[in-house]
Amino acid sequence: MPELVLELNGRTWTLDPSRSYSVGRDPQGDMVLDDARVSWRHATVRWAGRGWLIEDQGSTNGTYVQGRRIHQMEIGPGSTVHLGNATDGPRVTLSAAAPAADGHGAQPAGARQQQAAQGWQAPPAQQPPAQQPPAQQGWQAPPQDGQPPYVPPQQDRQPQQAVPPQRAQQSPQRPAQQAAGAPVHGDRSPTTFHRLDTGRVMRIGRALENELVVSDLQVSRHHAEFRATPDGRFEIHDLGSHNGTYINGQPVPKSGKAPVGPNDIIGVGHSTFRMVGDRLEEFVDTGEVSFSARHLTVTVDGGKQILKDVSFGVPEKSLIAVIGPSGSGKSTLLKALTGYRPANQGDVLYDNRNLYKQFAELRQRIGLVPQDDILHKELTVQKALRYAAKLRFPGDTAEAEREARIDEVLHELKLHVHKDKKVTSLSGGQRKRVSVALELLTKPSLIFLDEPTSGLDPGMDRDVMQLLRGLADDGRTVLVVTHSVAELALCDKLLVMAPGGGVAYFGPPAEALNFFQYDTWADVFSAFENYRDYDWMGRWRGSPHYQMYAADIDAVAPQSVNVQVPPARIQKSQSWGSQLWTLMRRYVSVLASDRGFLGLMLILPAVLGVVSMLIPSDYGLGYGPMNKNRTNRDASTIMLILAVGMCFSGAANSVRELIKERVIYERERATGLSRSAYLMSKVIVLGVVTAVQGVIIAAIGFSTRNMPTEGLIVAKAPAVEMALAIIALGFTSMMFGLIISALVKTAEKTMPLLVMFAIVQVVFTGVLFQLFDTPGVAQFAWLMPSRWAVAAMGATADMNTLLPWEPGNPDPLWKHHTGVYVMDMIILISLGIGLAFVVARLLRRHEPEVMRK
């Protein structure tokens, strides 16, 4: 088993075949690299029995040999490996060596000699366990006036003391401490420096020909450029980028420019730049950022506070769980932390930048996995991720780049073996992994999850929490809202919300039960229920745990009170037309994969057309015998059945479409989806389906009937004119269905409203009773699509003759005249277009509140 000499960043290790070695940014690893492109636990080098192997551990940016990304490969003397980038990433070179004499394995060359000179000795093989500090005197917050005292059941039990001060001083500085008065990027050093030359232009982008190359798929190939002005200052010019260029969180006009000052922060994808003298400092957001909430308060109508003065600091690259009883404000807190529903008071600081005021830029760095799956279950895993990547990445991203990123995420989450399976066929835990994979496409530094283990069995619960633990270990900060308490030990910090929206505890999970003086979380939650009026927040703030873990954050006054959030002008990753095309293709794929839906869409109009044929009529839709009045009352009944059938069919197509995709729309809208493109994709695809149904109904309904002798527009084909009226009716009814879908909160409520809509259309067709000369009723009927569709068919068939009401008082909308038919059709179609604007307005209610202004 030959030893191997490994050289990395000017340091040399002699590898011992008896153990394996980890490479990454983790300070506890064997070979530590402070490079933003390297993952927390990037790769492992080990002896495999016959040779040395390097294994990629699901790194974000990959491991490369000879320019090719590898997951596992045999290496040996003479091999060269690049980490994080195939060309200029940190380089690992290997060479042969004699076996190490001391057997200490991988230590930097010269380290052992230096340690020996200092009198260093290896620690003993086994050390006695460290003694725990003795429990301190118990304490209780004084009871509040008018409140029953809180008395824990175990009076002889004393709470465990918080982390001793000497341990706290040795621990890394917490983000809360960094936040107070810290610079924009906390205590981080710039990732890279670039010299600014007043005599040339410095272009920023993803393409290699740029002067400043940013390897980020959120960045366009030619994104922006720095230009010097005649007076020696600089400007930033956006080059029509897809995800936008930002100064201090506010977007630069697309293809526009803005002056840059010494203290300005320029945002491009996951990178930010700051001018310092004649050089440009670059900070790459790789997850090593602070995140804190300060004095968050949410007030609803009536003045009731559902979130009360919540403050805490989230450590970098950690896993935080939020638990609490129902009604404690967990979901409200999550919306406040992500900017979906900004708090009325307080701040959310991302890397010491106000998330609410700079949401347009910072949204790209935050991932959110709602409780419901944010993907179409009818698609395969790979196809769902492909459509998501096309919508989220810039329009100039090559297909090969998107596929490479999808492949990376699938391997990182161990989903590559399921990529060709439909999402609906996966287990609950696997579906949650796919939702996480969708968010990881854009490499967010912060990931929020709402009840990811809801409905999962204990085994899947553990798998999901271990997945989140791995995401945090790889250099991300993960915050999860959960009801499950089985795997809290995997978390770094625990936030417990009390009834009423206040904080009851924040600190290490291992100390939480001792803090509450209970043995189980079931007892804690029972206490919350039994002592709902107790001042849990006051008890927390009077505890040593508070002084240890939250006092420094709470002591800092919020930057703003009664927050006035500026409109978040979201830059779209794709052009409107590109988004529309992608959405249409995805929607067609979803419909095509649901054979049951397709079958129903074809059978329903056929059945309705056949039903109209059951009405006996000697003369169909034409004139009766050539007598004085030439009446044919059967024609009106046939038109009624066809019109109502088309109303029901058109509305049924769309009545569930928006409600079933509501969670998907909310998330995609926050990432830059165009509302109008989304709605238009539904209108076009469903419009084609509805038009086909209209043709089927008309073809069956008219095929066996006598038709009018001549038309108004198409003289020899009156059936075509009447079929167009049926298709237009289906389109407008489809828009009514979308309104229902946008209004309801659950899919179960759509069916009663659909039936009610169809019944109302029966009444206001104008053939059951004379309504055109009834004040109020006639005007209300103008809002009914069936009224105008039957009127258009009646104009072609001369219904005033077939179904005369009072002599000398014909229905003006049935007049057998070309202008009347055209008017009826224009109003019918205009009604549908007007409804589209109403649907667009209703969709605003399901967008992040910060985007509604």
Side-chain angles (χ1 to χ4, degrees), residues 91-345:
R91 184 174 65 178
V92 179
T93 57
L94 302 112
S95 57
D102 56 7
H104 282 297
Q107 293 190 34
R112 291 191 291 272
Q113 291 86 340
Q114 181 180 3
Q115 293 163 349
Q118 296 174 349
W120 178 86
Q121 290 185 345
Q126 293 183 350
Q127 296 185 8
Q131 295 183 356
Q132 299 295 327
Q136 303 298 313
Q137 179 64 34
W139 58 270
Q140 268 190 305
Q144 303 295 312
D145 293 339
Q147 294 180 347
Y150 167 67
V151 182
Q154 296 97 350
Q155 286 299 319
D156 58 340
R157 182 173 179 178
Q158 298 181 357
Q160 177 181 344
Q161 181 175 338
V163 180
Q166 61 268 24
R167 283 175 55 193
Q169 294 171 0
Q170 297 171 359
S171 63
Q173 186 181 30
R174 296 193 302 276
Q177 296 167 325
Q178 299 173 1
V184 173
H185 292 283
D187 295 331
R188 291 189 292 127
S189 299
T191 309
T192 317
F193 297 95
H194 308 276
R195 183 166 296 279
L196 285 170
D197 187 350
T198 57
R200 67 188 182 94
V201 173
M202 178 178 284
R203 179 171 292 185
I204 306 172
R206 203 174 71 249
L208 296 178
E209 60 265 25
N210 292 286
E211 287 78 14
L212 204 163
V213 179
V214 179
S215 300
D216 181 358
L217 288 182
Q218 293 287 86
V219 177
S220 299
R221 290 182 57 81
H222 300 98
H223 195 101
E225 60 187 18
F226 284 97
R227 297 180 188 173
T229 59
D231 59 0
R233 300 180 183 181
F234 284 90
E235 294 177 336
I236 185 74
H237 288 243
D238 183 85
L239 301 178
S241 63
H242 293 274
N243 279 321
T245 306
Y246 300 85
I247 292 186
N248 301 323
Q250 302 306 311
V252 176
K254 195 165 187 177
S255 301
K257 63 181 179 179
V260 179
N263 297 319
D264 290 335
I265 301 299
I266 298 95
V268 175
H270 286 79
S271 297
T272 52
F273 302 89
R274 181 173 57 190
M275 282 200 310
V276 179
D278 62 346
R279 69 178 184 178
L280 194 67
E281 295 181 346
E282 179 181 3
F283 299 82
V284 180
D285 186 345
T286 59
E288 298 180 0
V289 295
S290 62
F291 183 79
S292 60
R294 297 182 184 176
H295 306 282
L296 297 182
T297 299
V298 175
T299 306
V300 295
D301 295 338
K304 180 182 179 181
Q305 290 184 344
I306 56 177
L307 203 65
K308 296 181 180 178
D309 200 15
V310 175
S311 298
F312 63 93
V314 175
E316 300 172 1
K317 298 174 294 187
S318 57
L319 176 60
I320 297 90
V322 179
I323 65 172
S326 298
S328 59
K330 299 188 300 297
S331 296
T332 303
L333 174 63
L334 187 65
K335 292 179 180 179
L337 294 176
T338 56
Y340 269 50
R341 199 290 186 196
N344 300 98
Q345 296 181 359

Side-chain angles (χ1 to χ4, degrees), residues 658-678:
L658 299 184
I659 181 63
K660 75 178 184 181
E661 291 186 358
R662 182 161 297 171
V663 176
I664 298 174
Y665 173 75
E666 288 178 358
R667 183 64 192 128
E668 291 184 342
R669 179 66 176 139
T671 61
L673 179 70
S674 167
R675 182 196 311 138
S676 58
Y678 175 78

Side-chain angles (χ1 to χ4, degrees), residues 300-549:
V300 295
D301 295 338
K304 180 182 179 181
Q305 290 184 344
I306 56 177
L307 203 65
K308 296 181 180 178
D309 200 15
V310 175
S311 298
F312 63 93
V314 175
E316 300 172 1
K317 298 174 294 187
S318 57
L319 176 60
I320 297 90
V322 179
I323 65 172
S326 298
S328 59
K330 299 188 300 297
S331 296
T332 303
L333 174 63
L334 187 65
K335 292 179 180 179
L337 294 176
T338 56
Y340 269 50
R341 199 290 186 196
N344 300 98
Q345 296 181 359
D347 303 295
V348 175
L349 300 183
Y350 177 99
D351 203 16
N352 295 316
R353 301 171 66 186
N354 193 302
L355 174 65
Y356 297 160
K357 295 181 178 179
Q358 303 184 24
F359 181 80
E361 177 189 353
L362 298 180
R363 67 181 174 87
Q364 302 178 29
R365 310 184 190 186
I366 296 176
L368 173 62
V369 181
Q371 182 174 350
D372 297 324
D373 294 326
I374 50 175
L375 35 85
H376 293 86
K377 299 179 182 179
E378 300 86 355
L379 301 178
T380 63
V381 172
Q382 189 172 48
K383 187 172 287 188
L385 294 181
R386 280 175 179 168
Y387 284 121
K390 285 183 69 66
L391 288 172
R392 298 192 181 193
F393 289 148
D396 60 4
T397 306
E399 183 177 356
E401 293 178 296
R402 291 196 300 267
E403 290 295 325
R405 180 58 190 155
I406 292 171
D407 187 61
E408 291 175 21
V409 172
L410 288 173
H411 279 85
E412 181 178 359
L413 298 183
K414 308 298 187 292
L415 286 170
H416 54 284
V417 295
H418 305 294
K419 65 180 182 179
D420 294 322
K421 296 179 181 177
K422 285 189 176 182
V423 175
T424 188
S425 67
L426 302 178
S427 66
Q430 291 168 342
R431 285 201 303 272
K432 194 57 63 178
R433 281 178 177 264
V434 179
S435 293
V436 174
L438 191 149
E439 290 300 308
L440 290 185
L441 289 174
T442 54
K443 300 183 180 180
S445 301
L446 276 170
I447 302 178
F448 295 88
L449 301 99
D450 187 10
E451 299 286 357
T453 61
S454 177
L456 302 184
D457 60 48
M460 290 184 179
D461 181 359
R462 180 181 58 193
D463 291 343
V464 171
M465 292 300 292
Q466 287 177 342
L467 164 68
L468 303 184
R469 177 72 265 171
L471 293 178
D473 291 340
D474 199 34
R476 307 175 183 91
T477 297
V478 183
L479 189 146
V480 53
V481 173
T482 180
H483 275 111
S484 175
V485 297
E487 305 296 334
L488 294 180
L490 293 172
C491 302
D492 298 297
K493 289 290 189 294
L494 175 65
L495 176 66
V496 182
M497 300 294 291
V503 177
Y505 173 82
F506 178 73
E511 301 176 20
L513 286 176
N514 268 41
F515 171 81
F516 289 108
Q517 303 183 45
Y518 281 104
D519 291 322
T520 67
W521 283 107
D523 294 331
V524 175
F525 278 55
S526 294
F528 283 147
E529 180 64 28
N530 296 332
Y531 298 94
R532 296 190 70 88
D533 294 330
Y534 182 74
D535 186 10
W536 294 98
M537 192 172 179
R539 180 179 187 270
W540 155 244
R541 291 191 171 181
S543 69
H545 284 79
Y546 171 81
Q547 297 298 325
M548 202 64 236
Y549 301 117

